[in-house]
Structure formats: C-alpha cells, structure tokens
Amino acid sequence: MYGDSETIRRILTERGDTWAIVGLSTNRHRPAHGIAHLLQRHGKRIVPVHPKAETVHGQKGYASLADIPFEVDVVDVFVNSHLAGPVADEAVAIGAKAVWFQLDVIDEAAYERTRAAGLDMVMDVCPAIEIPRLG
C-alpha cells in the first residue's frame, strides 16, 4: 500500500466530495461500478470517466478528465497500471486535490510525480476497505 492512514483519511473526509471515477462504465460486474455506488452512499458526487462517456448511477459520463466542465476534487483510477500514470498527470493538469489508485493499480513514478505536484495520493488501496475504518 502506498499512502498512510492520515492521507487516506484526509482524501475521504477533507479533500472534497466530487470524485471522477476513471474506468467507470455501465458494466455491473466491474469493481468500479460497486465502488462508485458505495461512494455515492457516503455522500460523494461521482463523475463517470470512460471513453464511451456513459451515464452511470444517474450521473452523466465524460470521455476524459479534460472534458469535465466543473472542478473535480479526487480522481479515482480503475485502469490498468500501464495506463494509470497518464491519468494521474491529467489529474494534476485539471487541478484535482487528490488521486486514488485502486487495488492492484501501481505506478511508482506516477505516485512520486503526483505527490511532488502537491496532491494527496494513495495507491493500491480501496475505499470499500478504508471507509469502514474511519469509524
């Protein structure tokens, strides 16, 4: 796991409630679908980001982070590790406050770049595991 418990807590409670979920589609069998719903139940506004720009859980989708016409607080990444670094760079470019790489999404260079840019970041971590720990 990359990211200490304080960073995880800060992202979940202080960094804002608009979460762009990169890799979220209408496929109910993908982890992103369930995690997005969990985040909604915990008061987060989810923004689906997928090349198909599908509406998911009642929220309009966008093809890329750059296409979102409002501020995003956290970018939650559900893509393969080899695709994750450019997503983290886009998160920095759009002014996000934090980046969250899901379980098994690992790019150490992207982690270092994102943290160096001043964003909070965790990697190889899942909100479904961490939210209950907040108490």
Side-chain angles (χ1 to χ4, degrees), residues 54-132:
E54 299 171 304
T55 296
V56 183
H57 298 305
Q59 300 301 307
K60 177 182 175 4
Y62 296 90
S64 72
L65 291 173
D67 292 338
I68 301 171
F70 47 83
E71 288 187 19
V72 168
D73 301 311
V74 180
V75 175
D76 192 359
V77 182
F78 282 91
V79 300
N80 293 325
S81 294
H82 71 278
L83 301 171
V87 175
D89 296 337
E90 285 181 63
V92 172
I94 67 163
K97 298 172 188 158
V99 175
W100 189 296
F101 279 11
Q102 286 293 324
L103 291 175
D104 299 322
V105 179
I106 299 170
D107 182 329
E108 292 179 6
Y111 179 83
E112 295 301 327
R113 283 193 314 271
T114 304
R115 302 274 302 198
L119 281 70
D120 280 331
M121 182 169 182
V122 295
M123 180 166 64
D124 195 25
V125 181
C126 181
I129 296 169
E130 300 303 328
I131 288 172

Side-chain angles (χ1 to χ4, degrees), residues 9-78:
R9 185 202 60 74
R10 190 169 48 247
I11 293 172
L12 289 171
T13 63
E14 297 176 16
R15 288 297 174 237
D17 291 330
T18 300
W19 285 51
I21 315 291
V22 179
L24 177 57
S25 71
T26 56
N27 184 341
R28 297 174 148 272
H29 302 290
R30 303 289 301 171
H33 199 272
I35 297 300
H37 191 242
L38 170 99
L39 289 167
Q40 277 187 315
R41 287 193 325 263
H42 282 88
K44 306 301 182 190
R45 173 187 185 191
I46 61 135
V47 183
V49 179
H50 189 278
K52 293 181 183 177
E54 299 171 304
T55 296
V56 183
H57 298 305
Q59 300 301 307
K60 177 182 175 4
Y62 296 90
S64 72
L65 291 173
D67 292 338
I68 301 171
F70 47 83
E71 288 187 19
V72 168
D73 301 311
V74 180
V75 175
D76 192 359
V77 182
F78 282 91

